[in-house]
Amino acid sequence: IYTAAVVEFIPVNYNTEVLKQMEEQVLLDAPFLGESKNEYYVSPSTVTAVKLLNLKRYEHFIMEAKSEGVDIIVFPEDTTTGWPIGYNNGRDGALPWLETIPSLGSAPYTVSDLQFSSPAVFLASKYAAQYNITVVIDIGEVSWCNENSGEDYSGECPDDGRWQFNTQLAFDESGTIIGKHRKLHLFLADTEIFNYPEESL
């Protein structure tokens, strides 16, 4: 028997002063993220700032759930980023917002390089371990064909060299990835961005 919590969550507004302040802090911590904006008008520092703000708000709910004896907390779809700038520009526009996911059985928060390359994965793993609670989140995932050689997806590689999935991840109380589900039934807008998976992992 376990106790679960499901969160209703509204992602951060893109046009707020707090987002600008977070982006300034991101650039202090990681100046290399201050690259010029790409053709879809988003910089790595903006992407990271949006995710950090949303994940910091996740932490509040995680702490509250843990204090009430919750064993597993589930966050809704599209709330690490909202429906971000770029998603309306197809696969290339969505790419800056997607994250690579380490293998099942790994604990992402122990890999410092992921702090800025896959911040949502890194922080969800960290919070799960820190608060000793199972955490489930949804992110946009990118899997490069030449890097995984079809290890976790055997379909024909898309022309742009990568698979993109709407993916749900589960982290156990040690921050370890224990489950990954790639969305099978995509909304019409999603099909412009994400691939259909063969099966869940």
Side-chain angles (χ1 to χ4, degrees):
I1 297 175
Y2 62 89
T3 302
V6 178
V7 180
E8 289 289 336
F9 187 91
I10 299 175
V12 65
N13 187 312
Y14 284 76
N15 298 310
T16 59
E17 186 62 32
V18 69
L19 179 56
K20 295 176 184 177
Q21 293 171 359
M22 177 60 78
E23 186 168 1
E24 291 173 1
Q25 184 60 52
V26 166
L27 289 172
L28 287 175
D29 295 339
F32 58 88
L33 292 178
E35 302 170 5
S36 59
K37 296 178 181 180
N38 65 16
E39 61 183 303
Y40 298 105
Y41 310 107
V42 60
S43 67
S45 58
T46 300
V47 171
T48 302
V50 168
K51 293 179 181 181
L52 290 180
L53 281 174
N54 285 322
L55 268 293
K56 283 182 178 295
R57 293 170 64 215
Y58 275 25
E59 184 181 17
H60 168 78
F61 287 104
I62 290 169
M63 291 172 62
E64 183 178 0
K66 186 63 181 180
S67 71
E68 296 181 7
V70 168
D71 302 299
I72 177 171
I73 184 168
V74 180
F75 290 90
E77 183 179 18
D78 293 331
T79 54
T80 58
T81 60
W83 186 261
I85 304 164
Y87 264 35
N88 293 326
N89 292 300
R91 290 172 63 83
D92 290 341
L95 180 59
W97 298 92
L98 309 184
E99 300 191 10
T100 57
I101 298 174
S103 60
L104 290 173
S106 65
Y109 80 96
T110 65
V111 183
S112 59
D113 288 349
L114 294 177
Q115 184 173 1
F116 294 108
S117 63
S118 295
V121 171
F122 179 89
L123 286 174
S125 170
K126 176 183 175 182
Y127 295 154
Q130 181 176 346
Y131 298 104
N132 192 35
I133 188 173
T134 297
V135 175
V136 180
I137 68 168
D138 174 87
I139 67 165
E141 174 192 3
V142 60
S143 181
W144 296 91
C145 303
N146 62 353
E147 293 181 4
N148 77 18
S149 302
E151 290 177 5
D152 63 0
Y153 190 73
S154 58
E156 182 177 350
C157 181
D159 292 340
D160 54 19
R162 62 185 186 268
W163 292 293
Q164 298 183 179
F165 301 106
N166 183 337
T167 302
Q168 193 170 60
L169 288 177
F171 304 86
D172 71 8
E173 299 91 338
S174 68
T176 298
I177 299 175
I178 57 172
K180 177 166 70 170
H181 172 77
R182 290 166 171 163
K183 189 174 180 179
L184 295 167
H185 304 289
L186 299 173
F187 293 113
L188 181 60
D190 290 342
T191 62
E192 301 296 320
I193 300 169
F194 299 117
N195 297 103
Y196 286 98
E198 292 190 326
E199 59 184 18
S200 298
L201 300 175

